[in-house]
Amino acid sequence: MNEEFVSRIELLQRKFKKREISIIRPDSEFPELLVTVPDDWKTIQLAPLYDVHIGSGEQDAELFAKHLEWLSRTQNVLTWNGGDMCENATKYSPGASAICQKGTPNQQLFDAAKLLAPIQHKMLFAIPGNHEDRTFNEAGLDGAAQLAEHLRLPYFPDYCFCTIKWRGNNFRLCAHHGSGAAQTPGAQRNAARKDMPWSHFDLFWTGHLHQPMGDIVYQTDFDQSTGRIFERDAAVLISPSYVRYFGSYAAKKRMVPGGRGLSVAVLNEDGRIDVSMHARGKRI
Ligand SMILES: [Fe+2]
């Protein structure tokens, strides 16, 4: 009976599976991350989790559970926490989200760690969303940073610039939670492209708007060793959320409803990026 106390988080950490990839965070003023994927992977599927909103009264927990199971059993898939993993509503949050949320933000954080522990070895990094910013702005408490500690993930407070090295390629990803409140298709597209004028990436990936979007932008680059030009198109993505619309703050405010779930980008050996999104529903 004289056993040392072991935290619930430590018990989860003991069950983490071994990573197949290597993740290096260089000492840098930039939010850089270098990921190397084994060359015996045939393709790489990127399937990030944005706007899961664990604890939201309107969360589609069934769909999230289904996708977690897919992430767990699918080979060659990588993911990251794109922010708003938890509802984290406070008494200063808009609408009735604090009253209608399930569990306290503290409980939501543990639930998130528990749900994500089985896929921890497939996670690359974590960034916060505006829901994590609520407690950070009010009290300096950043749930996304805490969750990243629990899951032993590199954490970045805004952007993550991640280079994925695999089969001679360097796929460059610019990930951010997203910002603003764009409601029209054009404004959402502009929001998704917001980082393009000052940076050079192959994938620009945000969430936040709860409006899935996939946009391919023609780009060129130069081979520094030969001085020759080549095509290097960008995939600009907004991930959907796991929040239902009707009954939500978004419906009350007549924000546009958006699809739910995951968007996936497949990285191919020849450098091509295939984007897959899902238009759900029956066609009766
Ligand atoms: Fe969100």
Side-chain angles (χ1 to χ4, degrees):
M1 292 300 287
N2 205 14
E3 284 178 19
E4 198 179 328
F5 171 74
V6 180
S7 76
R8 296 186 298 170
I9 295 299
E10 194 181 335
L11 289 173
L12 290 177
Q13 289 173 339
R14 286 179 186 176
K15 291 182 188 162
F16 288 171
K17 294 197 177 107
K18 195 174 170 341
R19 279 197 177 102
E20 289 181 48
I21 53 169
S22 99
I23 300 176
I24 294 170
R25 182 177 192 169
D27 188 17
S28 170
E29 69 169 289
F30 303 106
E32 295 177 79
L33 197 67
L34 304 172
V35 171
T36 305
V37 175
D39 282 342
D40 61 2
W41 285 28
K42 287 196 173 69
T43 58
I44 301 170
Q45 297 196 72
L46 300 180
L49 295 167
Y50 279 84
D51 298 284
V52 177
H53 288 270
I54 291 166
S56 160
E58 287 78 39
Q59 197 216 12
D60 190 343
E62 298 76 26
L63 187 63
F64 181 51
K66 184 179 161 189
H67 289 178
L68 270 182
E69 201 271 319
W70 177 83
L71 285 163
S72 180
R73 76 177 139 80
T74 305
Q75 287 191 321
N76 306 352
V77 67
L78 298 172
T79 185
W80 61 88
N81 175 8
D84 284 6
M85 182 58 72
C86 297
E87 178 67 1
N88 197 37
T90 73
K91 61 183 179 181
Y92 304 112
S93 297
S97 53
I99 296 162
C100 298
Q101 72 183 333
K102 295 174 188 164
T104 61
N106 215 33
Q107 183 60 41
Q108 292 165 10
L109 263 184
F110 179 69
D111 290 344
K114 198 171 161 186
L115 286 164
L116 296 171
I119 59 160
Q120 183 271 351
H121 60 297
K122 300 183 177 189
M123 297 188 77
L124 301 177
F125 60 87
I127 50 178
N130 51 302
H131 278 244
E132 284 85 13
D133 285 344
R134 288 171 171 177
T135 44
F136 185 69
N137 294 341
E138 287 167 26
L141 264 175
D142 181 348
Q146 289 186 16
L147 183 59
E149 292 282 340
H150 295 340
L151 294 171
R152 292 187 182 140
L153 295 174
Y155 173 74
F156 300 91
D158 36 66
Y159 289 91
C160 176
F161 302 155
C162 178
T163 298
I164 300 169
K165 294 176 163 295
W166 170 71
R167 294 198 181 190
N169 295 293
N170 287 289
F171 289 94
R172 298 197 173 110
L173 162 71
C174 173
H176 190 281
H177 177 67
S179 61
Q183 289 297 298
T184 64
Q188 288 161 2
R189 198 176 205 183
N190 284 334
R193 293 184 180 197
K194 201 169 184 180
D195 305 312
M196 295 192 82
W198 56 266
S199 63
H200 300 278
F201 289 94
D202 302 303
L203 294 130
F204 293 85
W205 211 315
T206 54
H208 180 64
L209 296 175
H210 297 202
Q211 290 286 334
M213 186 175 286
D215 190 16
I216 304 302
V217 181
Y218 183 85
Q219 294 188 134
T220 56
D221 196 1
F222 285 88
D223 183 333
Q224 299 291 329
S225 64
T226 62
R228 301 292 303 277
I229 197 165
F230 61 93
E231 276 187 0
R232 190 167 192 158
D233 298 350
V236 186
L237 288 148
I238 304 177
S239 274
S241 79
Y242 284 91
V243 183
R244 295 179 195 276
Y245 180 71
F246 295 102
S248 72
Y249 174 76
K252 185 77 84 183
K253 293 293 177 187
R254 299 172 85 197
M255 294 170 175
V256 184
R260 298 192 296 278
L262 276 175
S263 290
V264 176
V266 179
L267 312 184
N268 297 282
E269 185 177 7
D270 64 359
R272 200 185 70 233
I273 299 168
D274 302 328
V275 173
S276 83
M277 304 168 75
H278 306 285
R280 296 176 194 288
K282 292 177 183 160
R283 320 288 169 187
I284 297 169

